Amino acid sequence: MTQTPDHNPSEALRGLLNAAAKDGAGNARRRWLLLGATLAALLVGIALLAGNDKGATGEFISEDAAHGNLLVTASASGTLQPTKSVDVGSELSGTLATVLVQENDMVRKGQLLAELDTAKLKDAVDKSRAALAAAEAAVMQKQATVAEARAALTRMRRVSELSGGKVPARTELETQEAALQRAVADEASARADVTQARATLKTDETNLGKATIRSPVNGVVLTRKVEPGQTVAAQMTTPVLFVLAEDLAKMELQVKVDEADVASVKNGQKATFTVSAWPGRKFPATIQRVGLGSTTTDNVVTYKTILQVGNDDLALRPGMTATSTIVTAERQDVLLVPNAALRFTPPTGEKPQRSLVSRLLPGPPPGMAKKRPAAARNGDEARVWVLGEQGPQAVTVRIGVSNGRQTEIVGGDLKAGMAVITDYQEAKK
């Protein structure tokens, strides 16, 4: 059977070698014919491969380097909160007699919000006042006793001087001196009782004042958690009766920034966010604080970041879920190249020359696996390829920031208008 040029020459070679092995006892002429046929098959295979190589040209896909604006952003989600919210509770236990405000009511500092039943508290104040009056009366009695004991001691000392110490007896004089000291001590004790009674009265008056619950700030009532007649039990913790927001015209957005983006998020950066209640509307915000402490949720590390938000029209409400876009870098009229150009490497740069045997035998040649270059970072040197008269030519550049699609070129020999290669497409056979 004659081998046609369309067949693989390696198959023809193996067939001839097998035929030669079976005809080991043939004559010399037949061996020469066999050798000639083998050489002819090799020449046909080489010609076929040469023709295929010439037709296997590819096409470089390129894009011009151009000046433009670059915006680098980071996304994060979170909830809106008042800049300052206050939980108003009661330190006393009792029954709520009145509740004077509703949710959404505007309140002023010192305004009465609710009041407990004060009957027992008023009785305690009256009792303390009576105890204070009794203590003050006791002090007056002790003062009189002191005056009496001091006068008696003065008389006895005068008599002793006039009698030359004969009368009264020394023991009588010492007894009167001790009586005066006891009277002075009793007066001091009575004065201490007055101080204690006055403190008790002050405590009872304070408790009576705490029975009237007032607003500590100017703001609005976000939540009302009690009703008139409800019993308040203040034991281990203070029960919360109202939640007040100081000023809803200024709010804050608390978002969780991913650890991959937190290095580029700084105080003072601008941001925008959207909420489901207002589709299509973007609200402006400013980074106020980037937290140092991290939070790990489902093996995802995030950092709490506070954005300052203006809410003059009161369109935003506490608790709304928001998705923010933080502008981490903004460049105007800079040289840009697509990121694919920084990752591209010409296929001929790593393709080795194949030997004749390897081209005839099936299977890929060794060393054809292409290594993907590592991603360049801000400030690093990188290499792009441009189309030249002699084919792809390498140009060294220094890169800036990137938004994932385009990268800023801050240095190097690349100029605007140069066609940078982004990919290579092999021709179809």
Side-chain angles (χ1 to χ4, degrees):
M1 181 177 179
T2 305
Q3 187 77 10
T4 63
D6 293 336
H7 288 78
N8 191 338
S10 61
E11 296 293 336
L13 176 60
R14 281 192 287 267
L16 292 173
L17 292 176
N18 291 334
K22 294 179 180 179
D23 195 18
N27 52 34
R29 181 179 179 182
R30 188 166 183 173
R31 284 197 299 271
W32 279 109
L33 291 175
L34 181 60
L35 181 58
T38 302
L39 292 176
L42 288 174
L43 293 174
V44 171
I46 292 173
L48 290 175
L49 288 175
N52 291 337
D53 288 344
K54 292 179 181 179
T57 57
E59 179 184 3
F60 291 102
I61 301 175
S62 64
E63 184 175 337
D64 290 346
H67 286 277
N69 301 331
L70 184 66
L71 192 66
V72 183
T73 61
S75 299
S77 60
T79 57
L80 287 163
Q81 299 295 338
T83 55
K84 183 179 180 181
S85 61
V86 181
D87 293 338
V88 180
S90 173
E91 297 182 21
L92 302 178
S93 298
T95 303
L96 282 169
T98 56
V99 180
L100 303 177
V101 294
Q102 300 288 339
E103 293 183 355
N104 299 339
D105 285 353
M106 302 297 297
V107 295
R108 306 293 298 175
K109 184 176 181 179
Q111 180 178 337
L112 183 63
L113 304 180
E115 186 176 9
L116 296 173
D117 186 2
T118 59
K120 292 183 179 180
L121 297 175
K122 290 180 179 178
D123 292 343
V125 170
D126 293 340
K127 182 179 179 180
S128 297
R129 287 176 178 168
L132 176 60
E136 290 175 343
V139 170
M140 297 175 65
Q141 290 180 353
K142 300 303 180 181
Q143 288 175 341
T145 303
V146 169
E148 180 182 8
R150 183 175 287 112
L153 179 60
T154 302
R155 288 193 301 270
M156 293 180 69
R157 286 176 177 174
R158 180 64 177 169
V159 170
S160 177
E161 291 177 359
L162 294 175
S163 64
K166 294 180 180 180
V167 291
R170 181 65 180 173
T171 56
E172 293 179 358
L173 188 60
E174 292 175 352
T175 300
Q176 188 58 41
E177 290 176 350
L180 176 60
Q181 292 177 356
R182 284 193 297 270
V184 171
D186 290 342
E187 181 186 1
S189 178
R191 290 184 182 279
D193 291 341
V194 171
T195 302
Q196 182 177 1
R198 186 175 288 114
T200 302
L201 174 60
K202 187 176 181 180
T203 299
D204 291 339
E205 289 176 343
T206 301
N207 289 338
L208 181 60
K210 289 181 178 180
T212 55
I213 301 166
R214 300 181 181 274
S215 173
V217 294
N218 298 329
V220 61
V221 180
L222 293 183
T223 306
R224 165 180 158 172
K225 299 184 178 181
V226 290
E227 297 295 335
Q230 184 174 340
T231 301
V232 178
Q235 297 177 354
M236 298 299 295
T237 59
T238 300
V240 177
L241 309 182
F242 305 95
V243 178
L244 306 182
E246 186 171 4
D247 186 9
L248 289 183
K250 295 181 180 179
M251 301 184 68
E252 64 181 26
L253 175 58
Q254 301 179 3
V255 299
K256 297 179 179 179
V257 176
D258 190 84
E259 61 177 327
D261 300 324
V262 72
S264 58
V265 177
K266 309 293 182 183
N267 292 347
Q269 290 177 341
K270 301 299 182 181
T272 59
F273 66 92
T274 59
V275 294
S276 300
W278 300 96
R281 180 176 175 181
K282 291 185 177 181
F283 296 87
T286 304
I287 300 294
Q288 183 180 16
R289 184 174 69 253
V290 181
L292 297 177
S294 63
T295 302
T296 303
T297 304
D298 296 333
N299 294 327
V300 177
V301 180
T302 57
Y303 293 83
K304 182 179 179 181
T305 302
I306 305 299
L307 284 73
Q308 193 173 25
V309 178
N311 188 31
D312 295 333
D313 59 352
L314 301 181
L316 302 173
R317 301 186 182 186
M320 284 185 172
T321 302
T323 302
S324 64
T325 301
I326 303 170
V327 179
T328 59
E330 187 174 5
R331 302 289 188 268
Q332 301 291 333
D333 194 24
V334 294
L335 185 61
L336 303 175
V337 298
N339 284 8
L342 298 170
R343 297 190 297 264
F344 175 76
T345 300
T348 56
E350 295 182 4
K351 184 183 294 184
Q353 185 67 28
R354 298 177 63 180
S355 64
L356 177 62
V357 176
S358 62
R359 297 170 73 185
L360 290 175
L361 295 178
M368 283 300 292
K370 184 190 299 184
K371 296 181 180 179
R372 186 173 184 175
R377 298 171 296 178
N378 187 3
D380 288 349
E381 284 192 352
R383 185 173 62 176
V384 297
W385 294 83
V386 299
L387 287 175
E389 296 180 357
Q390 304 299 327
Q393 296 179 357
V395 177
T396 301
V397 295
R398 192 169 74 255
I399 67 171
V401 296
S402 174
N403 63 359
R405 300 185 306 275
Q406 292 179 311
T407 298
E408 174 192 16
I409 302 300
V410 297
D413 299 329
L414 187 67
K415 306 298 181 183
M418 288 186 175
V420 292
I421 304 175
T422 59
D423 199 1
Y424 175 78
Q425 184 176 5
E426 294 184 357
K428 297 181 180 180
K429 296 181 180 180

